[in-house]
Amino acid sequence: MGHDTEIFRHTISVLVDNEFGVLARVVGLFSGRGYNIESLTVAKVDDQDNLSRITIVTSGTLMVIEQIKAQLNRLVPVHKISDLTVEGPSVEREMALVKVICKGEKRVEALRMADIFRARAIDTTEDSFIFEVTGVRDKVKAFIALMEPLGKAEVCRTGVVAIRRGIDTI
């Protein structure tokens, strides 16, 4: 596969004004052009300057990724865009809450698996657990898959949050 047809996964961080309608404009940019969003997180990160950080995980050819960044750059409330996939080392994490309904030996096995994955039981009843697992996307996916045969009933995931390593900032 050549670079013009190969699909790449990129994590893009966007610093924007924290104001009404900004997220809708960013999402509209993606949907209007048929770009896919695999993960989207947003939160206010600077009270003084009233800024929010949007972390988007998307995929496409290198040309599509460049088009996405160029289109984002044209939005008025955007202050800075950083493609964390190519701009040096970064740290990515995702968090999930996983409800497992189980009894007996499956309950013991669920606790054992949680320990191996460093997941925490944050709620428990006689018949269920809610585990919190944090890590890279593949770790979270693997934990969820292992909980399936043990009685996985429900999953809630945050999406990716990411930040550059070292002294560089967005």
Side-chain angles (χ1 to χ4, degrees):
M1 237 185 208
H3 281 302
D4 54 338
T5 58
E6 192 173 352
I7 302 297
F8 297 92
R9 180 180 176 271
H10 280 244
T11 302
I12 300 170
S13 185
V14 186
L15 197 60
V16 298
D17 287 337
N18 182 31
E19 62 184 37
F20 177 79
V22 173
L23 181 59
R25 291 173 67 190
V26 169
V27 171
L29 181 149
F30 277 78
S31 65
R33 289 162 180 78
Y35 302 145
N36 186 41
I37 296 175
E38 293 181 20
S39 172
L40 175 73
T41 58
V42 61
K44 189 173 187 179
V45 294
D46 186 328
D47 286 328
Q48 184 177 346
D49 292 330
N50 199 33
L51 299 175
S52 288
R53 183 182 184 124
I54 301 173
T55 305
I56 303 164
V57 178
T58 189
S59 56
T61 63
L62 292 179
M63 186 176 81
V64 166
I65 299 297
E66 289 305 315
Q67 287 174 350
I68 288 170
K69 292 187 294 188
Q71 293 292 329
L72 284 169
N73 237 346
R74 290 189 189 117
L75 291 178
V76 171
V78 171
H79 291 272
K80 189 166 183 191
I81 296 170
S82 183
D83 186 343
L84 299 175
T85 304
V86 297
E87 292 179 14
S90 63
V91 175
E92 286 190 11
R93 291 293 181 266
E94 183 175 335
M95 194 264 292
L97 299 177
V98 183
K99 183 185 289 185
V100 180
I101 299 173
C102 56
K103 289 187 176 196
E105 195 57 39
K106 285 188 175 183
R107 192 168 172 83
V108 173
E109 183 66 8
L111 283 171
R112 191 175 73 74
M113 288 293 164
D115 186 51
I116 291 169
F117 277 80
R118 294 188 189 128
R120 297 183 322 129
I122 59 170
D123 185 70
T124 185
T125 67
E126 289 182 22
D127 301 324
S128 70
F129 290 110
I130 297 177
F131 293 108
E132 174 187 304
V133 60
T134 304
V136 295
R137 184 176 66 134
D138 289 344
K139 174 187 174 182
V140 172
K141 284 173 58 177
F143 180 75
I144 292 167
L146 286 171
M147 291 296 115
E148 185 80 37
L150 299 176
K152 180 191 86 179
E154 192 173 354
V155 175
C156 181
R157 293 170 77 166
T158 61
V160 172
V161 292
I163 195 165
R164 289 176 70 178
R165 293 189 67 223
I167 61 173
D168 292 330
T169 61
I170 184 172

